[in-house]
Amino acid sequence: MGNFNEVQQNPAATEWKKADYKEQQIPEYAGNPLIEALPPILSIKEAYKKMLVQPLYNESERELSEELRYQMLFRLQHFFQPVSQHLDLERRFSRLIRTGYLSRNPLGADEIRHLRGSVIQTLPSASSFTIMGFSGIGKTTAIERILSLYPKVILHEYPVNRLQIVWLKLDCPHDGSLKTLCMDFFLKVDELVGSNYFEKFGKSRISISAMLTQMGRVARIHCIGALIIDEIQHLLTARDRGSEKMMNFFVTLINEIGIPIILIGTMKAKAVLQQDFRQARRGSGQGDMVWENMKPNDDWDMLIEEMWKYQWTREKTPLTEQLRKIMYEESQGIVDIAVKLFSLAQSRAIETGYEKISPELIQQVAKEDLKLVQPMLKALKSGLVSELEKYEDIMPMNLAKYLMERKSKIDLRATIQKKKEEQEKERKEYEITVMEKAIHALITLGIDAKAAEKAVRHVLGTEGNHNLNTIVMQAIAYIEQSVNTKEENKKKEAKEVKENLLASVIDKGKKRKISPYKALLDAGYIKNPLNELVM
């Protein structure tokens, strides 16, 4: 391992946990520093509490803007509700990693001689098992939650001087290449302990057999507690008997070096796992796990009830029996789809302004947004083996991708709305500025201030693109029109008053039994022509 002080200075050391040895109640675990440095064995209650992931949430967040609530929907990607099979997996992993260290006690004489190459022996088989199930059923998420309960690397200084890699998770390459898997192994180990194994053993020019030999050596040096290989169905695409070679290597690690291995794959990998891996699992006592879609039982109810708390729509919708049934019907008990359906239903409710979750909305979203998985969901609903065989995998959905598509719509709407608000603000600011200038111009022309303001407001209230000159000219025209109208109205009113007065004089003359002429003459409205002619 080289000078230990130098290793401690490596940047990777920040991820190391210093060994804290705990007294073991199980006799065979006592005296083994690799086991004593592990976290305590958890009760079911403790495992449940530690595995549970509850995203941030506050009721008041439902009152926030559309854009912010869309961002918060992404929190559901991290939601994890432990159910029975998750707790079962945690117990199995806890047992697997400890029993795997039983034959690799670094204080044991056989282990020391083995590391020095002075003894060749066949160690007892480590425990190992497989997890098979539909994509989206939660296999990878569950194992990653369990792995998070353990440190990746433990630093031992005394009584042993060792860097212990507690677990190492690799994804099977898409082309099923054993060489690519080996290279990834060396890279991951380098990242964890600050070594340069990839430089030494991971180059393409090195043969696969040489790589495999060195992988076994590195795995023993760093006391790898468990090797997890995910997406094992990719072995089906391996060339030149790559599937067989990789499985043989796994068997070697388990039987000869004593490293537990967990293989995770979809139902498509069933043939490979059940045939090629059978010998390695013989007598392990762990048993394989086949995860199918959840049934509408207590586990499903608990999952939906916990998830249902995370609502960001304006109106909070209680979880009714109808909604519970529709959620199961449209997801068929596949957790990945259920969580995404719940998220997408909320995004649709927010986007449309509907702002609540309803059975109809869930069905609409399932029909329109889950088109790719509908054929497979129908196969699950049918329960017919012949139909299920057509869809060996149910591909997980990318929630972030779907929400981003929704988000782009709301962002576009928000951008347009914001632009409209900015334009309205600019328009108002422009109007105030222009109004002040126009009123001032009219006042300088001798127009009354109130009349000027009224005229300018009238002009700005009409349609059209107004500049300052146009506003002033139209305001003057409006004032002139108003003045002319007033004068005409005054003349009309005066005429009406005069006509009313003459009529009143004539009416009075009739009562006096004199002619209209005589009445108007007496009242002074008509002058005597003879008097006008006298010089």
Side-chain angles (χ1 to χ4, degrees):
M1 205 170 73
N3 185 292
F4 200 74
N5 290 327
E6 292 179 4
V7 175
Q8 280 187 296
Q9 300 304 315
N10 193 287
T14 57
E15 300 295 325
W16 302 342
K17 181 181 183 295
K18 192 171 182 178
D20 177 20
Y21 303 108
K22 302 170 185 67
E23 185 178 351
Q24 300 296 303
Q25 294 179 310
I26 300 175
E28 55 266 40
Y29 292 169
N32 188 328
L34 301 180
I35 297 177
E36 291 177 342
L38 294 175
I41 297 172
L42 300 174
S43 66
I44 291 179
K45 186 177 181 180
E46 289 170 333
Y48 175 89
K49 187 175 181 180
K50 285 182 175 291
M51 292 174 67
L52 178 66
V53 178
Q54 296 178 306
L56 291 172
Y57 179 75
N58 191 296
E59 287 280 345
S60 62
E61 292 175 344
R62 292 189 290 110
E63 302 303 320
L64 295 174
S65 65
E66 291 181 356
E67 303 93 280
L68 292 179
R69 287 183 288 140
Y70 260 95
Q71 297 290 338
M72 291 170 180
L73 286 174
F74 285 83
R75 294 179 187 170
L76 282 169
Q77 293 182 105
H78 307 293
F79 169 75
F80 186 81
Q81 172 64 42
V83 294
S84 300
Q85 61 189 11
H86 300 145
L87 298 173
D88 182 24
L89 178 58
E90 189 280 328
R91 286 196 302 267
R92 292 187 189 214
F93 184 81
S94 176
R95 185 168 62 247
L96 173 139
I97 199 166
R98 287 170 171 80
T99 56
Y101 279 134
L102 284 176
S103 60
R104 293 184 289 154
N105 187 340
L107 298 180
D110 288 343
E111 180 69 8
I112 293 171
R113 285 196 297 270
H114 193 105
L115 285 172
R116 290 174 177 172
S118 59
V119 63
I120 298 175
Q121 65 181 47
T122 301
L123 300 171
S125 291
S127 297
S128 56
F129 65 93
T130 64
I131 307 174
M132 291 177 287
F134 295 120
S135 291
I137 211 69
K139 306 180 299 299
T140 300
T141 304
I143 195 67
E144 288 180 348
R145 284 301 305 145
I146 291 167
L147 294 177
S148 71
L149 305 179
Y150 293 80
K152 291 183 179 180
V153 180
I154 297 177
L155 169 63
H156 297 265
E157 295 178 293
Y158 181 84
V160 292
N161 189 332
R162 192 77 61 89
L163 280 174
Q164 173 188 0
I165 297 177
V166 181
W167 55 268
L168 188 66
K169 181 176 177 291
L170 304 174
D171 287 337
C172 186
H174 286 277
D175 59 359
S177 167
L178 182 52
K179 176 167 280 192
T180 304
L181 184 74
C182 293
M183 295 167 71
D184 192 30
F185 173 88
F186 292 126
L187 281 171
K188 290 287 177 63
V189 172
D190 286 347
E191 289 174 4
L192 291 174
V193 301
S195 53
N196 62 342
Y197 294 125
F198 180 78
E199 185 67 25
K200 290 180 179 179
F201 314 122
K203 296 299 181 65
S204 58
R205 65 177 180 273
I206 300 175
S207 67
I208 292 179
S209 59
M211 283 186 178
L212 294 177
T213 300
Q214 294 301 330
M215 277 180 70
R217 179 172 173 270
V218 170
R220 182 177 284 280
I221 289 173
H222 293 295
C223 311
I224 295 180
L227 184 62
I228 301 96
I229 312 292
D230 203 354
E231 306 293 354
I232 204 70
Q233 69 274 5
H234 293 158
L235 284 179
L236 296 173
T237 62
R239 300 177 181 177
D240 301 325
R241 299 172 63 193
S243 168
E244 183 180 344
K245 291 177 182 177
M246 193 176 289
M247 284 301 177
N248 287 338
F249 170 63
F250 294 153
V251 171
T252 300
L253 287 179
I254 294 166
N255 293 339
E256 296 183 12
I257 302 176
I259 298 177
I261 292 182
I262 301 175
L263 298 184
I264 306 173
T266 64
M267 292 299 191
K268 187 181 288 185
K270 188 176 181 180
V272 175
L273 296 177
Q274 287 187 338
Q275 293 176 18
D276 297 344
F277 202 49
R278 184 178 299 150
Q279 183 63 34
R281 299 196 309 275
R282 187 171 296 166
S284 68
Q286 290 287 351
D288 295 330
M289 302 184 76
V290 179
W291 287 10
E292 297 178 338
N293 53 323
M294 293 180 70
K295 306 305 177 187
N297 54 21
D298 292 341
D299 276 348
W300 173 259
D301 288 344
M302 181 169 62
L303 174 76
I304 294 299
E305 286 166 8
E306 287 301 313
M307 182 180 70
W308 208 259
K309 297 175 182 177
Y310 299 97
Q311 293 186 37
W312 282 279
T313 51
R314 290 267 190 259
E315 184 176 333
K316 190 170 184 179
T317 305
L319 179 60
T320 63
E321 189 60 30
Q322 182 187 15
L323 284 166
R324 197 189 305 265
K325 288 180 178 178
I326 286 177
M327 282 296 295
Y328 186 84
E329 180 70 14
E330 298 299 345
S331 68
Q332 283 300 295
I334 296 178
V335 178
D336 179 73
I337 293 178
V339 173
K340 290 174 173 61
L341 182 60
F342 184 58
S343 304
L344 294 171
Q346 290 193 63
S347 71
R348 179 73 66 92
I350 295 171
E351 176 196 339
T352 58
Y354 185 61
E355 291 293 356
K356 64 180 179 179
I357 304 168
S358 67
E360 296 77 17
L361 179 64
I362 292 172
Q363 290 173 326
Q364 181 185 6
V365 169
K367 181 180 179 181
E368 297 177 4
D369 292 346
L370 305 183
K371 290 180 181 178
L372 293 178
V373 295
Q374 282 303 322
M376 292 166 277
L377 291 176
K378 288 179 181 178
L380 283 171
K381 291 176 184 179
S382 72
L384 299 174
V385 176
S386 58
E387 289 298 312
L388 289 170
E389 286 176 346
K390 296 178 183 178
Y391 308 101
E392 293 173 300
D393 288 324
I394 292 184
M395 298 303 293
M397 296 167 53
N398 187 333
L399 176 59
K401 177 184 175 183
Y402 274 77
L403 284 179
M404 284 305 294
E405 290 175 357
R406 288 264 178 245
K407 183 177 178 295
S408 62
K409 294 181 181 179
I410 189 61
D411 281 352
L412 180 59
R413 290 175 57 212
T415 301
I416 293 173
Q417 180 62 29
K418 186 176 181 181
K419 189 65 178 176
K420 287 171 63 179
E421 291 173 357
E422 288 176 353
Q423 288 176 341
E424 179 66 16
K425 183 180 179 182
E426 289 174 358
R427 185 184 68 80
K428 288 181 178 178
E429 290 176 351
Y430 168 79
E431 286 184 355
I432 291 171
T433 303
V434 173
M435 181 185 296
E436 291 175 349
K437 291 180 179 179
I439 292 172
H440 179 72
L442 293 174
I443 291 173
T444 58
L445 293 175
I447 298 174
D448 178 72
K450 288 184 177 180
E453 180 181 351
K454 181 179 180 181
V456 171
R457 287 187 180 280
H458 171 78
V459 173
L460 290 175
T462 60
E463 295 182 2
N465 184 15
H466 304 297
N467 57 41
L468 181 60
N469 291 334
T470 303
I471 293 171
V472 172
M473 295 300 294
Q474 291 184 358
I476 292 173
Y478 174 79
I479 293 171
E480 289 179 347
Q481 183 180 4
S482 299
V483 170
N484 291 337
T485 301
K486 286 181 180 179
E487 289 180 353
E488 289 177 0
N489 289 337
K490 285 181 179 179
K491 289 180 180 179
K492 185 177 180 180
E493 288 174 1
K495 182 179 179 182
E496 289 177 352
V497 169
K498 187 175 181 180
E499 289 177 349
N500 291 335
L501 285 173
L502 294 175
S504 175
V505 170
I506 291 171
D507 287 339
K508 289 179 180 179
K510 287 181 178 178
K511 291 179 181 180
R512 291 165 53 200
K513 295 183 180 181
I514 59 176
S515 67
Y517 176 81
K518 178 63 175 170
L520 291 172
L521 181 64
D522 293 344
Y525 286 100
I526 298 176
K527 293 183 179 181
N528 190 324
L530 294 177
N531 293 336
E532 292 292 320
L533 293 174
V534 175
M535 300 298 295

